[in-house]
Amino acid sequence: MSGNRAVYYGTEHGLALSETLLPQKLKAANYNTYMIGKWHLGFADWAMTPVRRGFDYFFGMYGGSATYRTHMSYEGPRKSGYDLFEDTLHPEEGLKHQVVNDRKGTFSELLYTEKAIEKIDESAYGASNNPFFMVVAYSNPHAPIEPMDRDLEQNSHIDNEKRRAMAAMITSMDYGVGRLTTALQNTNQYNNTVIIFLSDNGGHLMLTDGESLGSSNLPFRGAKGTLYEGGVRTPAFIHLPHYPSTVLSDGGSLVYDGLFHVSDWFPTIASLCGVDVMNSELPLDGYDHTGRTRTLGRSRRSVGVMESSLARDRMIPGSIPWHSHW
């Protein structure tokens, strides 16, 4: 969101208000901005919530994890509370904050997908002609692992119970992404929409009490909370309309193997939206990769510095240089 490393400002209360976030830059460029799903960037003050940080609309949870049907925060016994909200920022009326207490029992992925489709339809048929920027941050497959029966049946061929449940959680997310893609196609927006799919970390192997979560990061070592590749190297893809056919392989796709740090998404997405932040007043750690991906040129990044408070607990150095030679 900021194009910078979190180590600069910590995460005790939330992302520092001194930071200008990606949705703020895009909103200034006349994008309609929507945030759906997991926020987890602070709510100690209204100024830290999504609609005060560049989003026109928010539906989801403020915290880092919650139960999927009762929507109770899943941060430990002393940090529990209901966590499902809908916020809208009206130009004249200001902030409209609503506790969504009538959707208990409905799986969160279904709720998030439903709201995202509403905004896709609104973009196609509403009064505004502005482009839109939408973040859909599904909780799946974050703990607690609470799969739907539909998705367990889809993965009934997996014998290991924990692994089957984890696969079911991912299947649910996959259904959601498919429905969003179909909504874009049905509203004739698919061929004019950049779609980015990414993950924030590797699979979480077990809880602190030793309970397995069914994840696997093979062939890489480590997991979420470590600085090994199993914790920090994740897959991603970009659907990019009107991509130059001269650089595509026979399958209609290409693989960019340049080193890419999470902070690089800010300037890269801004560039794809026609917003130049690399030459602005913003101090950024991130690099714009759009030119490199179009030509398969070498990444502008040769080193990425990473820090993890969880990693320190596992007796792993808090910051290490990460070179582009795997």
Side-chain angles (χ1 to χ4, degrees):
M1 284 290 186
S2 70
N4 284 318
R5 290 159 36 215
V7 69
Y8 288 145
Y9 30 73
T11 58
E12 182 177 356
H13 299 295
L15 184 57
L17 295 177
S18 59
E19 292 295 306
T20 300
L21 305 190
L22 178 59
Q24 292 172 302
K25 297 296 291 187
L26 296 183
K27 189 173 181 178
N30 293 320
Y31 274 76
N32 296 329
T33 54
Y34 312 121
M35 170 75 210
I36 295 170
K38 173 180 173 178
W39 174 239
H40 204 203
L41 292 179
F43 59 97
D45 187 279
W46 285 117
M48 291 183 170
T49 59
V51 296
R52 296 298 191 188
R53 309 224 61 179
F55 287 104
D56 298 311
Y57 174 83
F58 169 75
F59 180 94
M61 60 179 180
Y62 287 153
S65 61
T67 56
Y68 286 83
R69 294 175 179 82
T70 60
H71 313 301
M72 297 294 292
S73 62
Y74 188 73
E75 305 284 350
R78 296 185 179 182
K79 300 180 181 179
S80 62
Y82 193 70
D83 195 0
L84 186 62
F85 305 100
E86 186 171 28
D87 298 339
T88 307
L89 190 61
H90 296 277
E92 296 84 17
E93 303 173 23
L95 171 65
K96 179 182 178 183
H97 172 72
Q98 179 181 354
V99 179
V100 183
N101 54 19
D102 60 346
R103 303 309 299 269
K104 296 177 183 178
T106 303
F107 199 76
S108 60
E109 176 268 307
L110 300 177
L111 294 177
Y112 298 162
T113 302
E114 172 187 304
K115 290 297 181 179
I117 290 175
E118 286 182 10
K119 293 304 175 183
I120 290 173
D121 290 344
E122 182 180 302
S123 177
Y125 308 122
S128 175
N129 292 320
N130 293 345
F132 72 91
F133 169 70
M134 180 189 298
V135 176
V136 182
Y138 288 116
S139 304
N140 319 40
H142 197 289
I145 308 303
E146 300 175 335
M148 290 188 283
D149 291 341
R150 173 201 70 182
D151 304 317
L152 284 171
E153 291 181 12
Q154 183 75 16
N155 293 278
S156 60
H157 60 286
I158 301 176
D159 293 331
N160 183 280
E161 181 179 348
K162 296 289 187 180
R163 187 66 176 158
R164 182 167 64 250
M166 173 58 68
M169 296 294 286
I170 296 173
T171 296
S172 173
M173 176 183 60
D174 192 44
Y175 276 127
V177 174
R179 290 181 62 198
L180 298 183
T181 303
T182 299
L184 289 169
Q185 293 169 334
N186 290 343
T187 56
N188 296 316
Q189 297 180 98
Y190 177 75
N191 290 324
N192 196 34
T193 300
V194 176
I195 301 172
I196 300 174
F197 181 90
L198 59 97
S199 177
D200 55 352
N201 49 251
H204 197 176
L205 298 185
M206 63 182 63
L207 298 175
T208 54
D209 61 4
E211 178 186 354
S212 171
L213 293 176
S215 296
S216 172
N217 299 304
L218 293 175
F220 303 121
R221 177 174 59 165
K224 174 182 177 179
T226 75
L227 297 178
Y228 295 118
E229 288 186 78
V232 300
R233 185 177 182 180
T234 62
F237 72 78
I238 303 177
H239 160 77
L240 194 60
H242 314 303
Y243 204 86
S245 59
T246 54
V247 299
L248 293 179
S249 65
D250 293 339
S253 63
L254 60 84
V255 177
Y256 175 62
D257 59 3
L259 182 62
F260 196 107
H261 187 265
V262 64
S263 63
D264 299 335
W265 283 117
F266 183 116
T268 300
I269 293 174
S271 177
L272 289 170
C273 295
V275 178
D276 183 10
V277 296
M278 296 307 295
N279 297 317
S280 72
E281 75 286 356
L282 293 174
L284 295 177
D285 286 330
Y287 292 97
D288 174 13
H289 288 254
T290 52
R292 267 64 178 181
T293 57
R294 288 182 182 276
T295 63
L296 290 186
R298 183 175 178 82
S299 173
R300 294 179 61 187
R301 178 179 293 282
S302 59
V303 174
V305 178
M306 298 174 292
E307 189 275 343
S308 172
S309 59
L310 291 176
R312 288 198 299 269
D313 296 337
R314 290 165 173 77
M315 300 179 68
I316 299 172
S319 295
I320 61 171
W322 182 30
H323 294 274
S324 57
H325 303 293
W326 300 111

